[in-house]
């Protein structure tokens, strides 16, 4: 297995993308550029999201903010963990053995993406409860229950991928390491285990909840419009169609979920094909892996473009930063002018 990912014995660096190696440099240029670019975007984007959530109290009124922030922290750690393969491709010395480093890296990234996937499923459940049981929602969904749920998500994700150290490769996150590409193989039974324990339940929950959410919202919109038409006809005024108030927020979360599964679908398909010995290609391995990891930045973009409260918080944060910079500039200019005046007075 992974026979196409053999090491290079001619002294050249191990590069998954054949076009990435140049004779003038001794590292995989294209891989480094892609990974470092994604790392910078992921870290900066999620730091902004975390700061906005802390600076915008209105965002914390939604219980889903607990899960959104959990995803942001998990995505931030994904970006930080990308530093490991970057240093490896640049041939920085690593204290631990390559086999242990790539196993730990693959495990950590798999756990973090599992947290994101489970958080998306919990968000859909939260919105489903909010729409189907609005009167008892506040008693069913409490802050301490949300914290327990988040703790369970982290523990469950850690336990699901723990057998990867002895059972087989959980994915393709570590294939920038030559040992991972050549010696750490996937196992079809472990692949089936992950699908049954994580991928399939999360996808089923998301599809079931959002299908019912939009069905209920459509029904509510129809009932609201019928009432408005009835009352407006009695008053002699025309009524405008009003959408379901929960539908707009559900659409934001649905976009985040949809992009997540769209970016992860090629990775999951390749994961299944390679583990079943149907197809194996080193370029596909690298591209599907880092396409999936790019989702850690896409969540920031979607949420910032779709949520008006988040946009206000982002403007407030940027305004506070600009005001702070302006105050520092004014203080610096005033101190400079005072020093010039004092120096001129000494020469008089």
């Amino acid at each position: 297995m992974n026979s196409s990912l053999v090491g290079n014995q001619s002294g050249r660096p191990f590069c998954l993308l054949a076009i990435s190696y140049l004779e003038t440099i001794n590292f995989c240029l294209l891989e480094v550029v892609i990974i470092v670019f994604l790392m910078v975007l992921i870290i900066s984007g999620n730091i902004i999201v975390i700061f906005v959530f802390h600076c915008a109290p209105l965002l914390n009124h939604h219980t889903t903010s607990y899960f959104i922030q959990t995803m942001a922290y998990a995505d931030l750690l994904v970006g930080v963990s990308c530093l490991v393969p970057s240093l490896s491709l640049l041939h920085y010395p690593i204290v631990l053995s390559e086999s242990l480093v790539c196993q730990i890296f693959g495990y950590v990234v798999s756990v973090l993406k599992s947290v994101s996937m489970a958080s998306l499923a919990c968000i859909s459940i939260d919105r489903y409860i909010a729409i189907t049981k609005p009167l008892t929602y506040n008693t069913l969904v409490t802050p301490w229950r949300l914290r327990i749920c988040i703790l369970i998500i982290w523990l469950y994700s850690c336990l699901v991928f723990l057998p990867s150290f002895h059972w087989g490769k959980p994915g393709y996150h570590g294939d920038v390491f030559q040992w991972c590409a050549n010696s750490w193989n996937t196992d079809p039974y472990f692949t089936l285990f992950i699908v049954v324990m994580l991928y399939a339940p999360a996808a089923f929950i998301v599809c079931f909840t959002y299908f019912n959410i939009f069905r209920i919202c459509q029904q509510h919109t129809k009932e609201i419009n019928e009432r408005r038409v009835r009352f407006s006809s009695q008053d002699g005024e025309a009524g405008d169609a009003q959408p379901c108030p929960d539908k707009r927020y559900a659409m934001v979360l649905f976009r985040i979920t949809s992009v997540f599964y769209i970016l992860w679908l090629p990775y999951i398909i390749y994961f299944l094909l390679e583990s079943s010995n149907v197809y194996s290609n080193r370029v596909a391995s690298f591209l599907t892996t880092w396409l999936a990891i790019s989702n850690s930045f896409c969540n920031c973009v979607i949420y910032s473009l779709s949520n008006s409260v988040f946009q206000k918080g982002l403007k407030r944060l940027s305004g506070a930063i600009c005001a702070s910079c302006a105050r520092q500039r004014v203080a610096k200019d005033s101190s400079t002018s005072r020093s010039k005046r004092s120096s001129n007075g000494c020469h008089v």
Side-chain angles (χ1 to χ4, degrees), residues 37-241:
F37 178 71
L38 286 178
M39 180 179 66
V40 172
L41 288 181
I42 292 170
I43 292 176
S44 58
N46 285 284
I47 286 177
I48 292 173
V49 170
I50 292 169
F51 269 108
V52 169
F53 267 96
H54 283 288
C55 296
L58 288 176
L59 284 171
N60 293 318
H61 288 178
H62 292 286
T63 54
T64 51
S65 66
Y66 285 84
F67 297 111
I68 294 290
Q69 291 182 70
T70 300
M71 290 174 57
Y73 281 109
D75 291 336
L76 176 62
L77 292 175
V78 169
V80 173
S81 67
C82 290
L83 185 63
V84 176
S86 302
L87 295 177
S88 173
L89 290 171
L90 289 171
H91 301 295
Y92 274 78
I94 299 176
V95 178
L96 302 176
S97 63
E98 185 183 43
S99 60
L100 182 60
V101 170
C102 79
Q103 283 182 314
I104 293 175
F105 176 70
Y107 172 77
V108 168
V109 177
S110 298
V111 168
L112 294 174
K113 300 316 297 181
S114 173
V115 170
S116 296
M117 190 176 296
S119 297
L120 289 172
C122 290
I123 288 173
S124 65
I125 294 173
D126 174 81
R127 290 298 87 199
Y128 179 76
I129 296 173
I131 292 177
T132 57
K133 300 181 183 296
L135 298 179
T136 58
Y137 175 79
N138 290 330
T139 58
L140 292 173
V141 182
T142 58
W144 70 270
R145 286 181 178 177
L146 289 172
R147 294 187 183 98
I148 291 175
C149 184
I150 291 171
L151 179 61
I152 292 174
I153 287 174
W154 281 95
L155 291 176
Y156 183 78
S157 300
C158 291
L159 291 175
V160 164
F161 287 98
L162 195 59
S164 64
F165 288 96
H166 299 286
W167 202 347
K169 185 162 55 177
Y172 301 91
H173 308 292
D175 272 356
V176 292
F177 301 98
Q178 189 169 1
W179 185 88
C180 281
N182 296 337
S183 304
W184 197 21
N185 300 326
T186 55
D187 186 279
Y189 294 104
F190 184 51
T191 302
L192 180 63
F193 173 78
I194 294 175
V195 170
V196 172
M197 299 299 292
L198 180 63
Y199 295 158
F204 174 78
I205 290 171
V206 167
C207 293
F208 173 82
T209 52
Y210 279 114
F211 173 79
N212 284 280
I213 285 172
F214 290 117
R215 181 179 59 82
I216 294 170
C217 281
Q218 187 176 12
Q219 184 179 352
H220 286 178
T221 303
K222 183 179 179 181
E223 293 174 354
I224 292 171
N225 292 336
E226 287 177 353
R227 292 194 188 99
R228 290 180 62 85
V229 170
R230 190 182 308 118
F231 287 113
S232 61
S233 61
Q234 293 175 359
D235 297 335
E237 298 177 356
D240 297 328

